[in-house]
Amino acid sequence: MVLGQGTRVGFYSSTCPRAESIVQSTVRSHFQSDPTVAPGLLRMHFHDCFVQGCDGSILISGAGTERTAPPNTLLRGYEVIDDAKQQIEALCPGVVSCADILALAARDSVLLTKGLTWSVPTGRRDGRVSRASDASNLPGFTESVDAQKQKFAAKGLNTQDLVTLVGGHTIGTSACQFFSYRLYNFSSTGAPDPSIDSTFLPQLQALCPQNGDGSKRVALDTGSVNNFDTSYFSNLRNGRGILESDQKLWTDASTKVFVQRYLGLRGFLGLRFALEFGKSMVKMSNIEVLTGTNGEIRKVCSAFN
């Protein structure tokens, strides 16, 4: 396991031994009434880590905070983190960080959607800064693979990590506003994005009519929206990626090879997506973490102490 600066598996084993099981049971109970919290929490952890490191800064509410930035306005699952934090505070006040609760909840979300589990190193502390302007670090849905690779490399993540972590789009949805431009007048050509499978295009156009409701949700992994599996990669191979940045993973040679390996295509060294996902998540969850006496342990996840 890749370990970060000062995080370790079982950090709370003596100071708050029930912390991880409380997070797990809280995520499960929310998931049972609303399965969309699983992809929501997974994305939230990713969006947290890419901005100021994995420090819970995405959880702060209020004007001008990270969660108000355009890439973050549709994130969901905050109430799950607040619920887990409240239960943990009642048991072990001032011990467990919101950043750790989010990292654990992301792992539990993958398990609930039939992915593999992994051991999450803990010991992160919560950041004291949350600015919407910092969210430009997040990879964007129109970006080239080179631009995405640069953003990942800046966080110590390589091309395999990029393909693996974006593979988290195997669960959850996007909104029409983030991809409908591909369906009608792509790059001002007056025609749809040529990388979209021609038999799939009318299905997407029916879901997202021109000038229709931009907030309508559409599965990122057609046919397998609630299962953590490799079907997302099959869809990319078949021209059925929803986001422009997703489909580019197949059209760019440097990322395509990893998609091929996850699909176990003949002539490629196979890789197990479920296993590699956990490894890349551990790497990501250690980006620029605050440990020791840095940062703070928030009493409430949505506000600084």
Side-chain angles (χ1 to χ4, degrees):
M1 281 305 201
V2 186
L3 291 182
Q5 319 84 314
T7 62
R8 58 185 168 86
V9 173
F11 184 85
Y12 300 112
S13 55
S14 58
T15 52
C16 193
R18 286 188 53 209
E20 295 202 21
S21 62
I22 290 172
V23 174
Q24 194 162 30
S25 62
T26 306
V27 174
R28 189 186 301 114
S29 76
H30 284 264
F31 175 81
Q32 281 163 350
S33 54
D34 177 13
T36 67
V37 302
L41 291 165
L42 182 57
R43 306 265 195 283
M44 192 187 292
H45 179 45
F46 179 92
H47 284 224
D48 185 32
C49 291
F50 262 72
V51 184
Q52 298 273 356
C54 314
D55 66 344
S57 52
I58 188 74
L59 302 167
I60 297 290
S61 62
T65 56
E66 261 176 59
R67 70 155 99 173
T68 66
N72 294 333
T73 50
L74 295 174
L75 288 178
R76 54 182 80 188
Y78 294 104
E79 68 288 347
V80 184
I81 304 301
D82 292 338
D83 185 359
K85 177 64 168 170
Q86 203 176 353
Q87 293 177 58
I88 289 171
E89 282 301 298
L91 212 61
C92 331
V95 173
V96 180
S97 69
C98 299
D100 277 344
I101 292 172
L102 180 51
L104 292 164
R107 183 266 315 267
D108 297 336
S109 296
V110 170
L111 188 58
L112 284 164
T113 50
K114 308 185 188 71
L116 289 184
T117 191
W118 64 90
S119 299
V120 176
T122 44
R124 296 166 196 77
R125 288 171 64 89
D126 296 321
R128 294 194 175 107
V129 176
S130 181
R131 287 185 298 255
S133 56
D134 294 332
S136 59
N137 287 347
L138 285 163
F141 58 89
T142 60
E143 286 182 341
S144 68
V145 167
D146 277 343
Q148 293 180 63
K149 286 200 294 197
Q150 280 170 4
K151 285 185 173 179
F152 275 74
K155 303 295 179 188
L157 300 168
N158 61 31
T159 305
Q160 181 177 323
D161 295 317
L162 163 65
V163 176
T164 306
L165 293 167
V166 176
H169 287 171
T170 174
I171 54 171
T173 58
S174 183
C176 288
Q177 68 196 57
F178 297 124
F179 65 90
S180 57
Y181 67 92
R182 300 181 65 209
L183 311 180
Y184 302 101
N185 184 18
F186 181 64
S187 301
S188 308
T189 56
D193 181 340
S195 66
I196 303 174
D197 169 42
S198 59
T199 61
F200 186 49
L201 182 65
Q203 291 177 46
L204 288 182
Q205 289 172 329
L207 290 167
C208 300
Q210 205 159 8
N211 306 317
D213 177 6
S215 65
K216 187 176 173 193
R217 310 295 299 190
V218 173
L220 283 163
D221 182 6
T222 304
S224 181
V225 64
N226 296 316
N227 289 327
F228 204 92
D229 55 23
T230 57
S231 134
Y232 165 80
F233 296 117
S234 302
N235 278 324
L236 297 187
R237 180 181 58 176
N238 297 327
R240 291 174 170 236
I242 299 298
L243 300 177
E244 183 183 347
S245 52
D246 285 349
Q247 192 56 51
K248 281 175 176 165
L249 298 180
W250 181 256
T251 53
D252 185 288
S254 67
T255 47
K256 181 178 185 174
V257 63
F258 291 105
V259 178
Q260 291 167 315
R261 289 178 70 184
Y262 282 138
L263 289 172
L265 299 183
R266 225 170 65 192
F268 290 91
L269 182 64
L271 271 178
R272 276 192 69 197
F273 173 57
L275 204 61
E276 297 301 325
F277 190 79
K279 293 183 195 171
S280 289
M281 283 292 284
V282 170
K283 272 177 83 171
M284 184 189 79
S285 76
N286 278 317
I287 294 172
E288 296 158 30
V289 291
L290 300 167
T291 56
T293 54
N294 293 321
E296 63 185 19
I297 303 293
R298 282 182 219 142
K299 295 179 181 71
V300 177
C301 289
S302 58
F304 300 121
N305 286 351

Coordinates of all heavy atoms in Angstrom, one line a residue, residues 2-9 11-12 52-56 95-97 99-100 103 121-128 282 285-297:
V2 N 0.5 2.2 -0.8 CA 1.2 3.5 -0.8 C 0.7 4.3 0.4 O -0.4 4.5 0.6 CB 0.8 4.3 -2.0 CG1 1.7 5.6 -2.1 CG2 1.0 3.5 -3.3
L3 N 1.7 4.7 1.3 CA 1.3 5.4 2.5 C 1.7 6.9 2.3 O 2.8 7.2 1.8 CB 1.9 4.8 3.7 CG 1.3 3.5 4.1 CD1 1.9 3.0 5.4 CD2 -0.2 3.6 4.3
G4 N 0.9 7.8 2.8 CA 1.2 9.2 2.7 C 2.0 9.7 3.9 O 2.5 8.9 4.7
Q5 N 2.2 11.0 4.0 CA 2.9 11.6 5.1 C 2.1 11.5 6.3 O 1.3 12.3 6.6 CB 3.2 13.0 4.7 CG 3.6 13.3 3.2 CD 2.4 13.4 2.3 OE1 1.5 12.6 2.4 NE2 2.4 14.4 1.4
G6 N 2.3 10.5 7.1 CA 1.7 10.4 8.4 C 0.3 9.8 8.5 O -0.3 9.7 9.5
T7 N -0.2 9.3 7.3 CA -1.5 8.5 7.4 C -1.1 7.0 7.5 O -0.1 6.6 7.0 CB -2.4 8.7 6.2 OG1 -1.7 8.2 5.0 CG2 -2.7 10.2 6.0
R8 N -2.0 6.3 8.2 CA -1.7 4.8 8.3 C -3.1 4.1 8.5 O -4.0 4.7 9.0 CB -0.8 4.5 9.4 CG -1.2 4.9 10.8 CD -0.1 4.6 11.8 NE -0.4 5.3 13.1 CZ -1.2 4.8 14.0 NH1 -1.8 3.6 13.9 NH2 -1.4 5.5 15.1
V9 N -3.1 2.9 8.1 CA -4.3 2.1 8.3 C -4.5 1.8 9.8 O -3.6 1.5 10.5 CB -4.2 0.7 7.5 CG1 -5.4 -0.2 7.8 CG2 -4.2 1.0 6.0
F11 N -5.5 4.2 12.1 CA -5.1 5.3 12.9 C -5.9 5.5 14.1 O -5.4 5.9 15.2 CB -5.1 6.6 12.0 CG -4.6 7.8 12.6 CD1 -3.2 8.1 12.6 CD2 -5.4 8.7 13.3 CE1 -2.7 9.3 13.2 CE2 -5.0 9.9 13.9 CZ -3.6 10.2 13.8
Y12 N -7.2 5.2 14.0 CA -8.1 5.4 15.2 C -8.4 4.2 16.0 O -9.3 4.2 16.8 CB -9.4 6.0 14.7 CG -9.3 7.3 13.9 CD1 -9.6 7.4 12.5 CD2 -8.9 8.5 14.6 CE1 -9.4 8.6 11.9 CE2 -8.8 9.7 13.9 CZ -9.1 9.7 12.6 OH -8.9 10.9 11.9
Q52 N -6.6 21.7 -2.8 CA -6.0 21.8 -1.4 C -5.7 20.5 -0.8 O -5.6 20.4 0.5 CB -6.9 22.6 -0.5 CG -7.2 24.0 -0.9 CD -6.1 25.0 -0.4 OE1 -5.2 24.7 0.3 NE2 -6.2 26.3 -0.8
G53 N -5.7 19.4 -1.5 CA -5.4 18.1 -0.9 C -6.7 17.5 -0.2 O -7.7 18.2 -0.1
C54 N -6.5 16.3 0.3 CA -7.7 15.6 0.9 C -7.8 16.1 2.3 O -7.4 15.5 3.3 CB -7.5 14.1 0.9 SG -6.9 13.4 -0.6
D55 N -8.5 17.3 2.5 CA -8.5 18.0 3.8 C -9.9 18.3 4.2 O -10.1 19.1 5.1 CB -7.7 19.2 3.7 CG -8.2 20.3 2.7 OD1 -9.1 19.9 1.9 OD2 -7.8 21.4 2.8
G56 N -10.9 17.8 3.5 CA -12.3 18.1 3.9 C -12.8 19.5 3.5 O -13.8 19.9 4.0
V95 N -11.8 13.8 17.8 CA -10.7 12.9 17.4 C -10.7 12.6 15.9 O -9.6 12.6 15.3 CB -11.0 11.5 18.2 CG1 -10.0 10.5 17.7 CG2 -10.8 11.7 19.7
V96 N -11.8 12.4 15.3 CA -11.9 11.9 13.9 C -12.1 13.0 12.9 O -13.1 13.8 13.1 CB -12.9 10.8 13.7 CG1 -12.9 10.3 12.3 CG2 -12.6 9.6 14.7
S97 N -11.3 13.2 11.9 CA -11.4 14.3 11.0 C -12.5 14.1 10.0 O -12.8 12.9 9.6 CB -10.1 14.6 10.3 OG -9.8 13.5 9.4
A99 N -12.2 14.9 6.9 CA -11.4 14.5 5.7 C -11.3 12.9 5.7 O -11.5 12.3 4.7 CB -10.0 15.1 5.7
D100 N -11.1 12.3 6.9 CA -11.0 10.9 7.0 C -12.4 10.2 6.8 O -12.5 9.2 6.2 CB -10.5 10.5 8.4 CG -8.9 10.5 8.4 OD1 -8.3 10.5 7.3 OD2 -8.4 10.4 9.5
A103 N -13.0 10.1 3.1 CA -12.2 9.0 2.5 C -12.7 7.6 2.8 O -12.8 6.8 1.9 CB -10.7 9.1 3.0
P121 N -5.9 4.3 4.5 CA -5.0 4.9 5.5 C -5.7 6.2 6.1 O -6.4 6.9 5.3 CB -3.8 5.3 4.8 CG -3.9 4.7 3.4 CD -5.3 4.4 3.2
T122 N -5.7 6.3 7.4 CA -6.4 7.5 8.0 C -5.3 8.3 8.8 O -4.2 7.9 8.9 CB -7.5 7.0 8.9 OG1 -7.1 5.9 9.7 CG2 -8.7 6.6 8.1
G123 N -5.8 9.4 9.4 CA -4.9 10.3 10.1 C -4.8 11.7 9.5 O -4.0 12.5 9.9
R124 N -5.6 11.9 8.5 CA -5.7 13.2 7.8 C -6.3 14.2 8.8 O -7.1 13.8 9.7 CB -6.6 13.2 6.6 CG -6.2 12.4 5.5 CD -7.3 12.2 4.4 NE -6.9 11.1 3.6 CZ -7.0 9.8 3.9 NH1 -7.5 9.5 5.1 NH2 -6.6 8.8 3.1
R125 N -5.9 15.5 8.7 CA -6.6 16.5 9.5 C -7.3 17.4 8.6 O -7.1 17.4 7.3 CB -5.6 17.2 10.4 CG -5.1 16.3 11.5 CD -4.0 16.8 12.3 NE -4.3 18.0 13.0 CZ -4.8 18.1 14.3 NH1 -5.1 17.0 14.9 NH2 -5.0 19.3 14.8
D126 N -8.3 18.2 9.1 CA -9.1 19.1 8.3 C -8.5 20.4 8.0 O -7.8 21.0 8.9 CB -10.4 19.3 9.0 CG -11.2 18.0 9.2 OD1 -11.2 17.2 8.2 OD2 -11.9 17.8 10.2
G127 N -8.6 20.9 6.7 CA -8.1 22.1 6.3 C -8.8 23.3 6.9 O -10.0 23.2 7.3
R128 N -8.2 24.5 6.8 CA -8.8 25.7 7.3 C -9.1 26.7 6.2 O -9.4 27.9 6.4 CB -7.9 26.4 8.3 CG -7.7 25.6 9.6 CD -7.1 26.5 10.7 NE -7.0 25.8 12.0 CZ -5.9 25.3 12.5 NH1 -4.7 25.4 11.9 NH2 -5.9 24.7 13.7
V282 N -6.0 4.9 -2.9 CA -5.1 5.1 -1.7 C -4.0 6.2 -2.1 O -3.8 7.1 -1.3 CB -4.4 3.8 -1.3 CG1 -3.2 4.1 -0.3 CG2 -5.4 2.9 -0.7
S285 N -5.9 9.5 -2.1 CA -6.3 9.9 -0.8 C -5.2 10.5 0.1 O -5.4 11.0 1.1 CB -7.0 8.8 -0.1 OG -6.1 7.9 0.4
N286 N -4.0 10.3 -0.4 CA -2.8 10.9 0.3 C -2.2 12.1 -0.3 O -1.2 12.6 0.1 CB -1.7 9.8 0.4 CG -1.9 8.8 1.5 OD1 -2.3 9.2 2.6 ND2 -1.8 7.5 1.3
I287 N -3.0 12.7 -1.3 CA -2.5 14.0 -1.9 C -2.5 15.1 -0.9 O -3.5 15.4 -0.2 CB -3.4 14.4 -3.1 CG1 -3.3 13.4 -4.2 CG2 -3.1 15.8 -3.6 CD1 -4.3 13.6 -5.3
E288 N -1.3 15.7 -0.7 CA -1.2 16.9 0.1 C -2.0 16.9 1.4 O -2.6 17.9 1.8 CB -1.7 18.1 -0.7 CG -0.8 18.4 -1.9 CD -1.6 19.2 -3.0 OE1 -2.5 20.0 -2.7 OE2 -1.3 19.0 -4.2
V289 N -1.9 15.8 2.2 CA -2.7 15.7 3.4 C -2.1 16.4 4.5 O -0.8 16.6 4.6 CB -2.9 14.2 3.8 CG1 -3.8 13.5 2.9 CG2 -1.6 13.4 3.9
L290 N -2.9 16.9 5.4 CA -2.5 17.6 6.6 C -2.4 16.5 7.7 O -3.4 15.8 7.9 CB -3.4 18.7 7.0 CG -3.6 19.8 6.0 CD1 -4.9 20.7 6.4 CD2 -2.4 20.7 5.9
T291 N -1.3 16.4 8.4 CA -1.2 15.4 9.5 C -0.6 16.1 10.7 O -0.2 17.2 10.7 CB -0.4 14.2 9.1 OG1 0.9 14.6 8.7 CG2 -1.1 13.4 8.0
G292 N -0.5 15.3 11.8 CA 0.2 15.8 13.0 C -0.6 16.9 13.7 O -1.7 16.7 14.1
T293 N 0.1 18.1 13.7 CA -0.6 19.2 14.4 C -1.1 20.2 13.3 O -1.6 21.3 13.7 CB 0.4 19.9 15.3 OG1 1.6 20.3 14.6 CG2 0.7 19.1 16.5
N294 N -0.9 19.9 12.0 CA -1.4 20.8 11.0 C -2.9 20.7 10.9 O -3.5 19.7 11.2 CB -0.8 20.4 9.6 CG 0.7 20.7 9.6 OD1 1.2 21.7 10.1 ND2 1.4 19.8 9.0
G295 N -3.5 21.8 10.4 CA -5.0 21.8 10.3 C -5.7 21.7 11.6 O -5.1 22.0 12.7
E296 N -6.9 21.1 11.6 CA -7.7 21.0 12.8 C -8.6 19.7 12.7 O -8.6 19.1 11.6 CB -8.6 22.2 13.0 CG -9.6 22.4 11.9 CD -10.4 23.7 12.0 OE1 -9.9 24.6 12.8 OE2 -11.4 23.8 11.4
I297 N -9.2 19.4 13.8 CA -10.3 18.4 13.7 C -11.6 19.1 13.9 O -11.8 19.6 15.0 CB -10.1 17.3 14.9 CG1 -8.8 16.6 14.8 CG2 -11.3 16.3 14.7 CD1 -8.5 15.7 13.5

